[in-house]
Amino acid sequence: MKKTLTLIIAAVLALTMAACGKKKEDSQSPAEAAPDAKSEGVMSYDEFAAADFDTEVIIETYVQAKQEWKNDRATVYTQDGDGAYYLYDMICSKEDYERLIPGQKIKVTGLKSEWSGEVEIVDAAFEIEEGSYIAPAADVTDLLGKEEELYAMQNRFVSFTGMTVEPYEDPERGVQAFLYNWDGSGSPGDDLFFIASKDGKIYDFEVKSALCDETTDVYKAVQNLKVGDKVDLEGFLYWYEGLNPHITSVKVK
């Protein structure tokens, strides 16, 4: 059984693109394959969404990207065929963290929580299970400005197409296409922030350095943005006091 799982995972990695814009060998992937049915005692995504905050939840989900590991805790973006789950500070050894490769199926038990609008699972533990799934990017461009509908898609892997990079205007720094840190106080290696518009409305986007550091394609792409560039974006629909996507791909058109 372990050998079978290894072969499945190897196939997924060979056919899919890394989260932060690394090499892409083939555009075809098992993204369209529906995940297995939930095991007994495991919540559906609808049941998770309806659960109260600060109550225990048990889910089965699939790793999409890893953000960070430290002090035997991991923060991970996951998704199944119906919705997405942000696992914050989950109990995880370094050895187990290495096993959380994109597509890996896991069973998670933790508390449903919320921070500044972001729905997450905290105080969680997980088990490795057999199965693999990479979620396709859902184009949510037409939902921009529709906060309730976007909120319902929170943490999913999504895309925004045909966006226009807008300027940050600062009396001291002048016009800029991006900032290091939200207020421009940072330097290379820190989180990147940029704004882009669609149909005359402006939206905030972020490249989280813990997820996509300065060596990744997406980080470099944002550093090279120019005001007025037309871009297609992909990333995870994170929420922080409103829409705050964590971008993993930027393509200038």
Side-chain angles (χ1 to χ4, degrees), residues 8 14 17 21 26 40 49 62 68 85-86 89 94 110 119 133 140 155 170 173 177 184 194 211 225 238:
I8 292 172
M17 177 177 62
D26 195 322
E40 184 177 354
Y62 299 79
E68 189 174 25
Y85 314 85
Y86 183 67
D89 234 11
K94 184 64 173 177
V119 177
Y133 172 67
V140 295
N155 297 317
D170 186 279
R173 300 181 181 92
F194 64 101
L211 173 64
L225 285 179
Y238 190 80

Side-chain angles (χ1 to χ4, degrees), residues 89-252:
D89 234 11
M90 178 174 65
I91 297 170
C92 181
S93 67
K94 184 64 173 177
E95 180 181 11
D96 281 343
Y97 189 69
E98 298 302 324
R99 300 172 69 191
L100 296 180
I101 60 176
Q104 178 62 59
K105 184 178 182 180
I106 57 175
K107 181 178 180 180
V108 180
T109 302
L111 293 179
K112 181 180 176 181
S113 185
E114 186 231 17
W115 182 73
S116 295
E118 168 67 13
V119 177
E120 53 195 21
I121 299 177
V122 300
D123 297 332
F126 73 95
E127 304 169 29
I128 297 285
E129 295 192 329
E130 185 171 345
S132 184
Y133 172 67
I134 297 292
D139 191 334
V140 295
T141 311
D142 290 343
L143 297 183
L144 286 169
K146 301 176 182 179
E147 188 162 288
E148 289 187 9
E149 294 181 53
L150 283 172
Y151 185 84
M153 297 189 69
Q154 192 174 137
N155 297 317
R156 292 191 189 195
F157 186 57
V158 299
S159 64
F160 304 88
T161 57
M163 308 294 294
T164 302
V165 176
E166 298 291 343
Y168 287 108
E169 297 186 22
D170 186 279
E172 295 182 2
R173 300 181 181 92
V175 174
Q176 300 177 88
F178 70 94
L179 299 176
Y180 293 109
N181 289 340
W182 66 272
D183 59 355
S185 63
S187 57
D190 291 325
D191 296 343
L192 295 178
F193 290 79
F194 64 101
I195 52 178
S197 64
K198 186 72 176 181
D199 299 327
K201 295 184 178 180
I202 294 177
Y203 305 93
D204 295 306
F205 298 94
E206 177 182 358
V207 174
K208 194 78 175 174
S209 61
L211 173 64
C212 298
D213 65 25
E214 61 185 322
T215 68
T216 59
D217 292 345
V218 65
Y219 199 99
K220 295 172 184 177
V222 172
Q223 288 177 311
N224 289 322
L225 285 179
K226 297 178 178 61
V227 173
D229 280 348
K230 301 291 185 181
V231 293
D232 290 340
L233 312 172
E234 289 182 345
F236 297 99
L237 210 164
Y238 190 80
W239 206 265
Y240 176 73
E241 298 180 359
L243 183 66
N244 180 213
H246 287 172
I247 297 302
T248 61
S249 173
V250 173
K251 295 181 179 178
V252 178

